[in-house]
Amino acid sequence: MRLKTKLTLFNAISKLVIVILFVLLLPTVIKNINESFTDNKLRKQKDKILDIIKKSGVEENLYAAYSPLKEEYYSLDVDSINEGLDTIKNEKRKIEGDTIEYRILSHNFKAGNKNYLLEIGKSADTIGETTTPLQNIAFQILVGMVLLTILADQLYSNHLLRPLALIIKTKLIGRKFPNFGSYVEVKTSTSDFQYLDISIHKMVETIEQTFQKEREFISNASHELMTPISILQSKIENMFEQEDIADEVKVRLLEMQKILNRLKSITKTLLLISQIENEQFLKEDKIAVAEMLQQIQEEISVRLQDKSITYSIQIPADWIFVNVNKFLLFNLFFNLINNAIKYNREQGDIKVIGEIENGVYTISIIDTGLGIAAEDMPYIFNRFKKLKQSLQQESFGLGLPIVKSIAVFHNIDINVESEKGIGTTFKLTFPPGLIQTN
């Protein structure tokens, strides 16, 4: 999941939690607010009544009265017990046969030689009448504020993370490994992103230099090794022409020649990989796919017959490779098909199938061979890595690395599926324009 998506998700969830908490606490908060407002109003009424009593006297105000709808009531009466009350609480009163709950302020005071009890009440139902409207208004305001904050967070996150997205796109995704090109600074005022940008560039620069040195070494070593190998081969061939050479020496010379041939093959392969990775080949050829595969079949027909393997090509005749290097693509398919023969069973099958999937051209090489173990799958394209089933074969472990280098050179994706004892499928997915039809 992308960082921006995670931030957006976190912001949305955190706002949702706030809304849920607010909805749960809102009734209690509004109830407390209403009661607090009512209590203040009752105290103000008490103060006014006490002022009136002080001016006009107690006797003229000794009575009890209710509003027409019994929503409020006032009571002032002589209190035989001096309780020292000054409270506000909910109590029920029976009025004209109806029992109504009021929020009542009760206050004892002394005037002259008598104790009096003042009560001012307000119906609990009228206090709660504003609860629902207030809850609705508060909830609507909250939802609006949450939506605005989510939008603001999203816009700010996009603005804040834009340099990071540019760093990923231009410094990692948008570069062809290991050729990264020159450094272009990503403009940002965030010091962390500035440090990240410079650090990635330095790391990539180090990797590029290391790969370049490796390429140069492989190329130079391959070139340098070819000369002494050729000289040694010539000398061995000349020694074979001598008539007085002993049979024991001939056997030793044959072993030496076999070793030199292996060394020469490895050197040529390494040189080829180096030339591919250094892009020393042109991509200007045009050839029919079926024609190339037919040429490969002609070269390997003897090996197919030796193991009685059935080889079939199911490629449309009008498929044509365009802007490719014929020599390299020939090597790619030759190595894959050669491996399919090498690790196949007697009387096995090899199928080369071309398909169009969602507008994308694919070619699959399917065999019924030994299969590749799951633990070996991550290493099949590693140089000099010999798999368990290939240890008895005369292989240098460079066939699939060549395939990978050629595929990368042509922007071809390779997907491998294999099952032990069932077989292996190499599926090549070609970029747009590489295969065309007549």
Side-chain angles (χ1 to χ4, degrees):
M1 188 181 293
R2 298 180 63 186
L3 177 60
K4 184 166 66 176
T5 306
K6 287 185 176 181
L7 288 175
T8 303
L9 189 60
F10 171 78
N11 288 333
I13 292 174
S14 62
K15 301 297 187 300
L16 180 61
V17 171
I18 292 173
V19 169
I20 293 173
L21 290 175
F22 185 81
V23 170
L24 293 175
L25 296 175
L26 187 59
T28 303
V29 172
I30 290 180
K31 180 182 177 183
N32 292 335
I33 292 173
N34 283 335
E35 289 183 352
S36 177
F37 176 77
T38 302
D39 292 350
N40 289 332
K41 186 177 179 181
L42 292 174
R43 288 191 182 96
K44 289 179 181 179
Q45 289 178 340
K46 178 195 75 172
D47 293 339
K48 288 180 180 180
I49 291 173
L50 290 177
D51 286 341
I52 292 172
I53 291 172
K54 186 177 181 181
K55 292 177 182 179
S56 60
V58 177
E59 298 298 331
E60 296 182 4
N61 295 282
L62 289 173
Y63 64 90
Y66 297 87
S67 64
L69 298 178
K70 305 175 184 177
E71 294 176 348
E72 296 181 352
Y73 90 91
Y74 159 82
S75 173
L76 178 61
D77 200 359
V78 177
D79 188 10
S80 58
I81 303 174
N82 185 10
E83 300 175 286
L85 291 176
D86 190 17
T87 61
I88 299 176
K89 60 183 179 180
N90 287 9
E91 294 181 2
K92 292 182 179 180
R93 293 286 189 271
K94 193 169 185 179
I95 303 172
E96 298 177 356
D98 296 330
T99 301
I100 302 173
E101 184 177 2
Y102 288 92
R103 188 157 183 82
I104 299 173
L105 180 148
S106 300
H107 177 70
N108 280 124
F109 66 94
K110 191 172 184 179
N113 295 322
K114 293 182 179 181
N115 295 317
Y116 296 92
L117 175 63
L118 172 64
E119 289 186 342
I120 305 172
K122 187 173 178 63
S123 172
D125 291 337
T126 59
I127 296 173
E129 285 178 354
T130 58
T131 300
T132 301
L134 285 175
Q135 286 180 352
N136 292 336
I137 293 171
F139 183 73
Q140 291 171 4
I141 293 173
L142 177 66
V143 170
M145 292 178 63
V146 167
L147 292 176
L148 285 175
T149 53
I150 289 176
L151 179 61
D153 289 343
Q154 181 68 20
L155 293 174
Y156 183 70
S157 296
N158 289 341
H159 172 72
L160 183 65
L161 297 176
R162 184 174 176 274
L164 178 61
L166 284 175
I167 291 172
I168 294 173
K169 181 179 179 180
T170 59
K171 304 300 171 67
L172 299 175
I173 298 176
R175 296 301 178 93
K176 185 177 179 181
F177 184 83
N179 297 320
F180 296 95
S182 58
Y183 171 68
V184 178
E185 181 183 1
V186 173
K187 300 297 182 182
T188 176
S189 58
T190 306
S191 58
D192 293 335
F193 290 156
Q194 291 174 348
Y195 179 76
L196 177 65
D197 184 29
I198 295 172
S199 299
I200 289 178
H201 170 67
K202 290 181 178 178
M203 178 186 68
V204 165
E205 196 175 48
T206 302
I207 293 173
E208 186 175 7
Q209 291 173 356
T210 304
F211 268 87
Q212 188 60 35
K213 289 178 181 178
E214 179 188 347
R215 287 176 173 180
E216 291 176 359
F217 171 77
I218 293 174
S219 179
N220 294 335
S222 300
H223 278 292
E224 293 298 326
L225 284 171
M226 288 300 293
T227 301
I229 290 172
S230 298
I231 293 173
L232 286 173
Q233 279 187 320
S234 298
K235 289 186 175 182
I236 291 174
E237 290 172 359
N238 291 334
M239 291 179 69
F240 272 118
E241 295 177 358
Q242 297 178 10
E243 297 180 356
D244 57 345
I245 187 170
D247 291 338
E248 183 180 350
V249 175
K250 285 184 179 180
V251 172
R252 297 290 179 86
L253 290 175
L254 285 171
E255 292 175 355
M256 292 172 60
Q257 193 172 43
K258 186 177 181 180
I259 293 171
L260 285 174
N261 286 334
R262 288 169 58 86
L263 184 58
K264 189 173 183 179
S265 178
I266 292 173
T267 304
K268 284 184 176 180
T269 303
L270 289 175
L271 183 58
L272 176 61
I273 293 175
S274 176
Q275 290 172 337
I276 295 170
E277 291 180 344
N278 288 320
E279 298 186 353
Q280 296 178 3
F281 289 90
L282 298 176
K283 292 185 281 189
E284 298 177 344
D285 297 330
K286 180 178 180 181
I287 184 172
V289 180
E291 179 185 342
M292 174 183 287
L293 293 171
Q294 189 62 41
Q295 292 174 2
I296 294 173
Q297 181 180 3
E298 292 172 0
E299 287 201 18
I300 61 173
S301 59
V302 175
R303 298 195 60 198
L304 291 170
Q305 293 173 6
D306 289 342
K307 299 184 75 172
S308 300
I309 294 174
T310 302
Y311 177 84
S312 62
I313 302 173
Q314 301 174 27
I315 300 288
D318 59 348
W319 282 21
I320 298 175
F321 284 127
V322 179
N323 295 326
V324 298
N325 186 282
K326 178 182 175 181
F327 169 75
L328 293 182
L329 274 189
F330 185 94
N331 270 277
L332 182 148
F333 282 102
F334 183 88
N335 275 288
L336 290 177
I337 296 171
N338 185 54
N339 280 352
I341 297 172
K342 185 185 299 182
Y343 303 113
N344 213 326
R345 57 180 172 80
E346 295 286 339
Q347 298 180 344
D349 292 318
I350 297 175
K351 295 179 182 179
V352 183
I353 302 174
E355 296 175 308
I356 301 177
E357 300 176 356
N358 299 321
V360 178
Y361 289 88
T362 66
I363 296 178
S364 300
I365 294 92
I366 306 169
D367 67 55
T368 56
L370 302 174
I372 303 171
E375 61 269 19
D376 291 330
M377 288 291 284
Y379 311 107
I380 60 175
F381 293 112
N382 287 11
R383 296 173 191 176
F384 300 107
K385 178 69 176 181
K386 296 189 69 175
L387 308 183
K388 293 178 181 178
Q389 65 264 32
S390 64
L391 291 175
Q392 296 179 350
Q393 300 284 344
E394 292 186 2
S395 171
F396 312 126
L398 292 172
L400 289 180
I402 290 176
V403 169
K404 184 66 175 180
S405 297
I406 297 172
V408 171
F409 181 67
H410 287 91
N411 296 318
I412 301 170
D413 290 330
I414 305 179
N415 182 55
V416 185
E417 295 180 0
S418 186
E419 187 175 349
K420 289 288 290 181
I422 303 298
T424 304
T425 298
F426 282 83
K427 185 176 183 180
L428 309 178
T429 303
F430 296 87
L434 201 68
I435 294 181
Q436 297 180 3
T437 56
N438 287 331

